[in-house]
Amino acid sequence: MSVKGRIHSFESFGTLDGPGIRFVVFMQGCPLRCIYCHNRDTWDVSGGREYTVDDVIEELTKYLTYIEASGGGITVTGGEPTLQADFVTELFKKCRAMRIHTALDTSGFADVNKVKELLEHTDLILMDIKHAVEEKHKEITGVGNEKIKKFALYASEKGIPIWIRYVL
């Protein structure tokens, strides 16, 4: 049985979401409600369209020449991609088998135990830090940042490169 995921959209020529030219997958669903969110249409977990991992690989391969020539890869973002960790894990496994660089763009608001396998197949994390101070984080996102701190610590201990992103 093929794992399916809910996807909002694709970007075929991303240059801001990791090294090289990226195929960017915007996952559907987000537990945060950031006051400055620019992807509010990805919040609803039942929105978007359902895809299989093979569907996404088929889309990605259309741009493989550009991705390979630039040292790029795939970036999965959202919404919050860790909400669909099983799907992203299977996608990253296939990408790695194809020698495609994998990047996870996340807030880090995830249960570490549910994303350990995903992180084993992740080459780079783009971590969107909303705020370091708990009270300010709740003001900005509606949730605390304890899970995020645990996620960042775990990823760091595993030696996964992390690029910090922070809205000014």
Side-chain angles (χ1 to χ4, degrees):
M1 184 173 161
S2 183
V3 180
K4 293 184 178 178
R6 295 203 74 77
I7 294 175
H8 176 273
S9 59
F10 301 108
E11 181 181 339
S12 59
F13 204 84
T15 58
L16 302 174
D17 300 301
I21 295 169
R22 315 294 296 181
F23 183 76
V24 184
V25 180
F26 291 86
M27 301 301 293
Q28 191 69 43
C30 187
L32 278 62
R33 296 297 179 258
C34 301
I35 57 176
Y36 52 76
C37 181
H38 67 284
N39 287 341
R40 289 175 185 251
D41 49 338
T42 66
W43 286 0
D44 182 4
V45 294
S46 62
R49 187 175 140 211
E50 204 170 63
Y51 288 84
T52 65
V53 169
D54 289 338
D55 292 335
V56 177
I57 295 294
E58 186 178 325
E59 284 297 312
L60 177 146
T61 55
K62 295 174 187 176
Y63 309 99
L64 209 47
T65 303
Y66 302 105
I67 290 168
E68 289 173 343
S70 69
I74 186 171
T75 299
V76 180
T77 186
E80 176 51 57
T82 60
L83 285 180
Q84 300 185 66
D86 292 343
F87 177 81
V88 181
T89 299
E90 293 308 310
L91 177 59
F92 278 10
K93 282 181 183 178
K94 280 207 172 187
C95 287
R96 280 245 179 117
M98 297 170 66
R99 298 179 181 256
I100 297 170
H101 183 272
T102 59
L104 181 70
D105 186 358
T106 179
S107 69
F109 189 79
D111 179 345
V112 169
N113 293 316
K114 292 182 179 178
V115 297
K116 283 182 178 180
E117 186 179 7
L118 168 58
L119 295 180
E120 288 176 22
H121 303 281
T122 301
D123 295 313
L124 172 66
I125 296 171
L126 307 175
M127 188 132 177
D128 295 315
I129 302 293
K130 311 305 181 182
H131 207 287
V133 176
E134 177 80 7
E135 297 76 32
K136 291 286 188 185
H137 194 277
K138 282 183 182 176
E139 276 180 44
I140 293 169
T141 67
V143 299
N145 63 5
E146 192 60 34
K147 280 184 173 182
I148 294 163
K149 291 176 185 177
K150 287 179 183 176
F151 177 94
L153 182 61
Y154 180 81
S156 177
E157 288 170 351
K158 287 295 182 185
I160 303 167
I162 300 173
W163 291 4
I164 300 294
R165 299 174 121 187
Y166 186 78
V167 174
L168 298 176

